[in-house]
Amino acid sequence: MNNPVVIGVVLAYFVLMFAIGAWANTKMKSAKEFLVAGQSLGFFVMAIASFSSIQSGWGMVGGTGQTYAWGFQALIAVGLFAPFGFAVAWFLLGSRLNWIGKKHSVYSVPDLIRVRFQDKTSHATMSVAVFVAAVAYMTAQVTSIGVIISLLLGTSVATSAWIGSLVVAAYTMAGGMLAAVWTDLVQGVLMVVMSVGLFIFAVQVAGGWVPMLETISSASAELLSIDGVKSPTYIFAFGLLIFVGAVGQPQLLTKFLMLRDMTQLKWGAAVAGIAYGVTTLFSVGIGLATRSMVVTGDAPELANIDDTAIWFLDSVTHPIVGGIALTGLLAAIMSSASSFITIGASSMMRDLPTAFGIKVVRELLWSRISSLVLVVLSVLLTLFLSQVVFLLGALGWAAFAAAIVGPVVMSIYWHRATATAATVTVIFAIVGNLVISSLAAREVITMPAYMQVGGISLLVSILLFYVVSLMTSNRHPDATLAHLYGGPTTSSDGAAARVAAASTERNDHV
């Protein structure tokens, strides 16, 4: 593309991100500001930041490719289930995590495991798991960043990956999660506007909504069927992974620890869910339009489905429009990357040393160093991996979901949850997903067409957590819901949360 106007837009976007990072840096006084934005966010900023940190290169680049390949099944699996997953996460976890975070100074998911189970092994295991899954997810973002910047600036993919990653690293290292959420706000608004505009444009290019669908149906009717390309069991498992997995994403759960006033949670669920749903229009419009254009001969059959969004923006739109849209797509990817940098750095710098009784001095400095290490590691892995964006993103999503739904979501409601069950489940989630996905990608093993590995691993992890919890017990006397929610408070909201937790525990005993 390499258009002067486009390059100007990209550079202006980078400058804005740097400016937000510099502003956030002036607020950095401790690890609390760096890791949870000082627990000072209002609901709108937090809601937009939560959706934009999840709607990433996987959702927009990978999701567009899946729509091109799967048709309506991709919309069902991702576009419908994910927004409902947001709502469930907000209502099930929002107030409880916010209360726990303020009471126990919890800054991360591993922190929550530490407070809930009072156990070093489960704390250390979750710390490693979050770091590994963050790197896997970051690798998907870096892959997308490299491709997009190479188109925008005319540089090689490898050079572009370094440029984009270091830009994200710079503003995140400067301002931590505070910079991440405010850049997420800007990026989230860009994503919504871009998605609506490009949906309308893509449908018009394909001749209109009905003619586009008729063209697709004439060549591949299964693309418009619920039980089309993939088997119903596969789509069900994938939809379950997206729905339940949304509840287990640390970039979302960490946002609950940042909210200033938990009474605003009810509004945030609607804002985040609707915004995410609107941005799926990007994948629907471009994915279906490109498929229609392939049928009519106006587009080539794409060898790599991850090229769908990039090809459309580079070949169909006006260079300036396409460049601005690619910048918006870059914003989506960077918003997710910045959150994972901070989450991964927290696990590496704060959670893992704490699990082994190591006191880290100058936490703010080491948070920044850990952020840089994670980014460099992700870029190096990207340059040596040939996995597609959707596979890498799905691996990160599935690993997080399987590792977090039981040990975190179930444990803050269920008094019988144990540290041993948390440890076993987390190990299974990370090792199982990594090994099976890697072997399948290299065709060492062949997975049945009706089986979706991530969804099945999520179900197995939940069952495993439940069974092992029933078979074991906690050693520490404070590994109880009473300790988790109890204690003095002057907040009526906190009191309500404590009463609800006590009621939950009584019901569990009945």
Side-chain angles (χ1 to χ4, degrees):
M1 195 166 282
N2 203 17
N3 184 290
V5 175
V6 172
I7 293 175
V9 171
V10 175
L11 293 178
Y13 169 73
F14 284 168
V15 169
L16 177 59
M17 297 299 101
F18 284 132
I20 294 175
W23 164 78
N25 185 54
T26 64
K27 308 293 184 180
M28 293 296 105
K29 298 180 177 64
S30 67
K32 180 179 180 179
E33 281 76 24
F34 190 90
L35 299 177
V36 290
Q39 296 179 324
S40 61
L41 299 184
F43 91 91
F44 184 79
V45 175
M46 185 267 201
I48 296 298
S50 65
F51 110 78
S52 62
S53 65
I54 289 181
Q55 183 63 292
S56 58
W58 175 45
M60 302 194 81
V61 176
T64 303
Q66 292 307 127
T67 303
Y68 170 84
W70 294 1
F72 276 176
Q73 284 186 326
L75 173 62
I76 294 169
V78 179
L80 296 181
F81 283 101
F84 285 114
F86 273 112
V88 170
W90 282 72
F91 288 111
L92 277 182
L93 306 175
S95 61
R96 290 178 181 246
L97 291 184
N98 190 263
W99 166 248
I100 294 167
K102 288 183 170 63
K103 173 176 170 51
H104 297 283
S105 297
V106 169
Y107 299 162
S108 64
V109 169
D111 239 1
L112 179 63
I113 294 294
R114 172 184 60 81
V115 172
R116 173 64 179 91
F117 296 114
Q118 306 289 322
D119 175 75
K120 291 183 179 180
T121 303
S122 58
H123 184 198
T125 304
M126 181 62 82
S127 300
V128 173
V130 169
F131 179 79
V132 170
V135 171
Y137 221 122
M138 265 295 294
T139 303
Q141 312 315 311
V142 171
T143 302
S144 300
I145 288 173
V147 172
I148 292 175
I149 292 183
S150 68
L151 285 174
L152 292 171
L153 302 183
T155 51
S156 69
V157 173
T159 301
S160 301
W162 281 111
I163 291 173
S165 300
L166 292 177
V167 168
V168 181
Y171 71 72
T172 305
M173 289 168 62
M177 192 60 82
L178 187 62
V181 295
W182 279 98
T183 53
D184 284 352
L185 175 64
V186 174
Q187 292 156 341
V189 172
L190 282 174
M191 290 157 60
V192 170
V193 174
M194 176 190 71
S195 297
V196 174
L198 282 172
F199 172 80
I200 295 172
F201 174 77
V203 171
Q204 289 177 339
V205 167
W209 181 256
V210 174
M212 178 181 71
L213 297 184
E214 290 176 345
T215 299
I216 294 173
S217 180
S218 67
S220 305
E222 69 274 10
L223 291 173
L224 305 182
S225 173
I226 295 178
D227 58 348
V229 178
K230 292 291 185 179
S231 69
T233 55
Y234 185 98
I235 294 300
F236 172 78
F238 195 84
L240 181 70
L241 172 65
I242 297 300
F243 175 72
V244 180
V247 182
Q249 297 305 301
Q251 71 272 39
L252 175 60
L253 303 189
T254 305
K255 299 293 191 301
F256 293 133
L257 304 175
M258 304 178 192
L259 194 63
R260 180 177 61 246
D261 181 3
M262 71 176 102
T263 60
Q264 298 177 333
L265 279 167
K266 59 183 178 181
W267 303 110
V271 172
I274 292 172
Y276 189 97
V278 170
T279 56
T280 60
L281 291 175
F282 178 92
S283 297
V284 173
I286 294 180
L288 294 180
T290 304
R291 173 55 68 182
S292 175
M293 294 170 68
V294 169
V295 175
T296 60
D298 296 319
E301 184 71 49
L302 300 175
N304 185 344
I305 61 174
D306 279 339
D307 294 336
T308 305
I310 307 300
W311 177 86
F312 186 90
L313 296 177
D314 187 41
S315 304
V316 179
T317 62
H318 186 278
I320 294 179
V321 174
I324 294 173
L326 283 170
T327 304
L329 192 57
L330 184 64
I333 298 164
M334 286 185 165
S335 66
S336 184
S338 59
S339 291
F340 278 106
I341 290 172
T342 309
I343 290 168
S346 173
S347 295
M348 179 180 178
M349 173 281 307
R350 186 174 187 271
D351 297 314
L352 193 57
T354 301
F356 290 102
I358 301 173
K359 174 65 177 178
V360 177
V361 296
R362 303 186 69 182
E363 282 190 342
L364 188 54
L365 172 63
W366 283 106
S367 295
R368 288 168 169 158
I369 293 174
S370 300
S371 299
L372 181 60
V373 169
L374 188 144
V375 170
V376 172
L377 179 60
S378 299
V379 176
L380 292 176
L381 285 174
T382 298
L383 300 180
F384 289 101
L385 287 177
S386 59
Q387 307 282 24
V388 296
V389 173
F390 195 77
L391 174 60
L392 290 168
L395 172 60
W397 185 284
F400 274 137
I404 290 176
V405 169
V408 174
V409 179
M410 291 175 65
S411 73
I412 66 173
Y413 277 91
W414 189 36
H415 76 284
R416 285 293 303 274
T418 67
T420 302
T423 301
V424 171
T425 301
V426 170
I427 293 174
F428 164 79
I430 299 302
V431 176
N433 277 285
L434 283 174
V435 171
I436 294 175
S437 297
S438 298
L439 293 178
R442 288 166 174 77
E443 299 182 348
V444 176
I445 60 174
T446 301
M447 303 304 297
Y450 57 82
M451 182 180 294
Q452 208 289 324
V453 176
I456 292 173
S457 71
L458 173 59
L459 287 174
V460 173
S461 71
I462 293 174
L463 179 61
L464 184 64
F465 182 78
Y466 178 76
V467 171
V468 176
S469 289
L470 292 178
M471 297 171 59
T472 58
S473 59
N474 289 313
R475 299 177 183 177
H476 200 283
D478 287 336
T480 63
L481 292 184
H483 173 76
L484 190 65
Y485 295 109
T489 179
T490 57
S491 166
S492 59
D493 293 319
R498 192 171 69 252
V499 170
S503 175
T504 299
E505 185 162 12
R506 284 196 300 272
N507 290 338
D508 283 335
H509 280 293
V510 174

